[in-house]
Amino acid sequence: MEKQLYGREVLLSEWNGKGEVLNQAKHRPAFEFIQNKWQCQRCGTNDPQLLIPGPCTCGEDCFYCSQCLNMGKVKKCSQLFSLPEKNDFLIMKTSPLAWKGQLSTEQERASKDIIQAVEKKENRLVWAVAGAGKTEMIFEGIAKCLREGGRVCIASPRIDVCLELAPRIREAFPSIPLALLYGKTEEPYDYTPLVISTTHQLLRFKAAFDLLIIDEIDSFPYHNSAILQFASRKARKENGALLYLTATPPRDMQKLVKEEKLAATVLPARYHRFPLPEVRCVWVGNWRRDIKRRKQKANFLRLMEQTIQNDRRFLLFLPHIHLMEELEHWLKEYYPEKNFTSVSAEDPLRIEKVKKMREEVYDFILTTTILERGVTFRDIDVIVLGAEDAVFTEASLVQIAGRVGRNKDYPKGNVWFCHFGYTKAIKGACKQIKEMNREARKRGLLNEDMPSV
């Protein structure tokens, strides 16, 4: 049972093993007084306003950290228990990678860079357009680390991304035990050489991973979260490799790349060598009012009708849940013969609904930004209604557009940004997509003979 503490750092209430293991474990106070402030050692918070006083049986003036409360209450009097990561895994004579697919030239280049990062224990950004095939690029790097007895974690801010990634990684490494960790999982934690987790779950690790891969680093809630970035630093071994994956790196990270302070591999083209579908921006007037009044001749409704008449399946993105639900009720009356649904982060059935959309049970699906990344559908269009809303950042819009044309047999599709005002984010997203296509053409990475939709 002591293996369950290797590379972990948990509260006594989170430990279900035998007591004698705790006697061997290292432990430290959950809070330290650093530079005249109390700091939570689980999440790194030192903001006094986030440390909440409360009654406690310890008999002292106690408080707890509200910033990481969703991971369990950690108090001033709490202790964090851990055992050093011992990499209690077999060193393999052959590669554990079972995937027999073939990488494109660009994917192969990225794969070699990733292997080098693993060998040199360095940080590297893989900046690859949506649909470039990032998952396949990391296989050889993971295989190298596992073969040498190392421990690997792939972390993402989004549960949906983890759930989509897990079966693909299991299929690629069928002989390697894998733990899938997220907030609502019903499976107990197990000590494994390969871990897929949400970035929040990294808070329970300490110097555990020889290779830590953070997917979708620009995604909420990881981006601009000091806590989750603290968690990733704590979870990685001091001499471990750190790999960032994204199609839309934050501007501060782009700056580090330009200043040559961060190694980067940039892939401006998709694996199937077709360009990114470029966006058509459509002014649709006051679409919120049209939904509220159920205006039969609403501009966005005409676009939907055109898409349906062309027998195209699509994702319809909206900025807020209440707007999405209101529109869904109207569309149920307007299109009684169509099979569609809506999905959001609050939907307990979202995993099943996404699965049905992938199986092409639905004609279309209304969604919030929950489906902006990490999901792939065979042949779809995308409509963003209310693209001017602040919810849709430049990065978010680029990711949403990236849902289209991902399949090599269906590399072309339509993307519409329907707006009531042209914003900086819309302009930036359109520009970024065009620039990536321009760079891909410049490098000779595109096949320009596009099949018709």
Side-chain angles (χ1 to χ4, degrees), residues 79-140:
Q79 296 283 315
L80 295 171
F81 294 85
S82 65
L83 283 172
E85 177 59 58
K86 295 185 179 179
N87 289 78
D88 194 11
F89 313 117
L90 293 175
I91 295 176
M92 307 171 204
K93 293 182 179 180
T94 58
S95 172
L97 180 60
W99 185 71
K100 300 301 181 186
Q102 187 170 0
L103 298 176
S104 68
T105 303
E106 285 291 279
Q107 285 177 308
E108 182 68 32
R109 178 173 65 87
S111 178
K112 288 178 180 178
D113 284 349
I114 291 167
I115 292 170
Q116 186 180 70
V118 174
E119 290 173 343
K120 293 185 176 181
K121 312 295 185 185
E122 67 179 8
N123 297 355
R124 177 168 286 271
L125 166 67
V126 176
W127 180 357
V129 296
K134 291 191 293 291
T135 303
E136 291 77 14
M137 295 175 204
I138 65 177
F139 284 165
E140 288 290 355

Side-chain angles (χ1 to χ4, degrees), residues 382-449:
V382 157
I383 301 171
V384 182
L385 182 56
E388 79 282 355
D389 193 282
V391 165
F392 296 119
T393 63
E394 178 182 327
S396 172
L397 290 170
V398 170
Q399 291 282 2
I400 288 170
R403 298 311 97 203
V404 174
R406 298 169 71 88
N407 189 294
K408 63 182 177 62
D409 296 322
Y410 302 93
K412 189 177 180 182
N414 301 300
V415 183
W416 291 280
F417 289 172
C418 300
H419 63 86
F420 189 31
Y422 196 66
T423 64
K424 185 178 178 181
I426 294 173
K427 181 180 179 180
C430 295
K431 181 182 177 183
Q432 190 177 145
I433 292 167
K434 288 179 179 178
E435 284 180 348
M436 280 295 188
N437 280 338
R438 192 180 300 119
E439 180 63 22
R441 289 188 181 97
K442 182 179 174 182
R443 295 193 196 179
L445 300 175
L446 297 182
N447 297 330
E448 295 293 352
D449 297 328

